[in-house]
Amino acid sequence: LEEIPRPVQDSRNILKQGYLEKRSREPSFFGSEWQKRWCVLTKRNFLYYANEKSKQPKGSFPIECYQAHLDFQLRKDSRKKCCFQLLCPGKRSYEFTAPSPAEAQDWVEQIRFLLKADLSSLTIPCEEEEDEDEEELSKDRDSSDSMSNSQNSTLNPEEPGLEGDDIYEVMPGEFPNS
């Protein structure tokens, strides 16, 4: 059980990491156009290393302006359903192959979640617009519920731990039966 030394990156900021195959920009005559890279997604950047023991990344870019999506056109072989792409207008695009279709999906979702979370830290997103995503979001909602509790305090007067004195002034039976 040899411990794997972590890259110099602060591990608390790492959201996802693992081996992906990255399509090289200029495939060499001898080398494959897909090269295995240890990829690390942090809150701000996407970095890729020659392997997981490498100290210096072979490349990195800020993730904030990139869009992630699955792309089954990138390969013709059996692994085409494992491919995803990172696109940014006016910047280089990146193409990756994950070990499995589920892993590709997870990378895309992590990046999308990160971008969404980053933007929503400035403004609280409107709940109404997200109806179609309800199933996906329900597992992520738990952490954001604490923020919305203050708005719900009038709806759930029994809920303990809410701030505001008006909660305790509401007596059962004061409301007309609606």
Side-chain angles (χ1 to χ4, degrees):
L1 274 155
E2 176 192 348
E3 261 207 46
I4 301 164
R6 284 274 155 255
V8 182
Q9 274 295 321
D10 179 3
S11 60
R12 284 171 309 182
N13 287 326
I14 293 175
L15 300 180
K16 187 165 176 62
Q17 57 190 342
Y19 277 108
L20 295 171
E21 285 180 40
K22 179 183 153 298
R23 181 179 251 170
S24 63
R25 223 178 342 184
E26 294 120 15
S28 75
F29 187 67
F30 302 108
S32 159
E33 64 174 328
W34 293 95
Q35 292 158 336
K36 199 172 182 185
R37 294 285 177 251
W38 178 254
C39 296
V40 176
L41 175 66
T42 71
K43 290 175 184 169
R44 295 263 168 264
N45 298 300
F46 191 104
L47 305 99
Y48 50 95
Y49 299 81
N51 60 55
E52 62 192 297
K53 295 184 171 66
S54 303
K55 296 278 184 279
Q56 285 301 89
K58 290 187 84 65
S60 69
F61 52 91
I63 196 69
E64 59 202 7
C65 59
Y66 276 82
Q67 296 294 315
H69 66 91
L70 295 169
D71 189 340
F72 302 155
Q73 312 295 314
L74 297 179
R75 293 177 81 130
K76 302 279 182 278
D77 63 9
S78 60
R79 299 186 59 205
K80 61 185 180 203
K81 289 204 159 52
C82 304
C83 297
F84 66 97
Q85 206 173 21
L86 300 179
L87 296 171
C88 177
K91 288 200 163 64
R92 178 191 168 187
S93 64
Y94 291 86
E95 296 164 352
F96 294 98
T97 305
S100 69
E103 267 296 289
Q105 180 77 43
D106 195 48
W107 277 96
V108 167
E109 282 174 8
Q110 287 284 348
I111 292 165
R112 286 181 178 165
F113 179 75
L114 174 66
L115 297 174
K116 195 170 180 183
D118 213 5
L119 297 172
S120 65
S121 62
L122 307 171
T123 56
I124 295 168
C126 292
E127 302 279 317
E128 293 78 40
E129 293 171 12
E130 297 177 343
D131 287 341
E132 66 273 16
D133 301 332
E134 206 65 51
E135 297 80 36
E136 289 178 4
L137 290 171
S138 57
K139 60 176 186 289
D140 304 324
R141 277 266 167 82
D142 302 340
S143 56
S144 64
D145 278 349
S146 53
M147 288 169 59
S148 56
N149 272 348
S150 53
Q151 297 149 11
N152 296 345
S153 57
T154 51
L155 304 175
N156 311 333
E158 305 82 26
E159 201 164 315
L162 294 173
E163 295 164 69
D165 302 328
D166 56 341
I167 294 166
Y168 304 107
E169 293 169 20
V170 176
M171 294 296 192
E174 275 191 18
F175 292 111
N177 291 337
S178 43

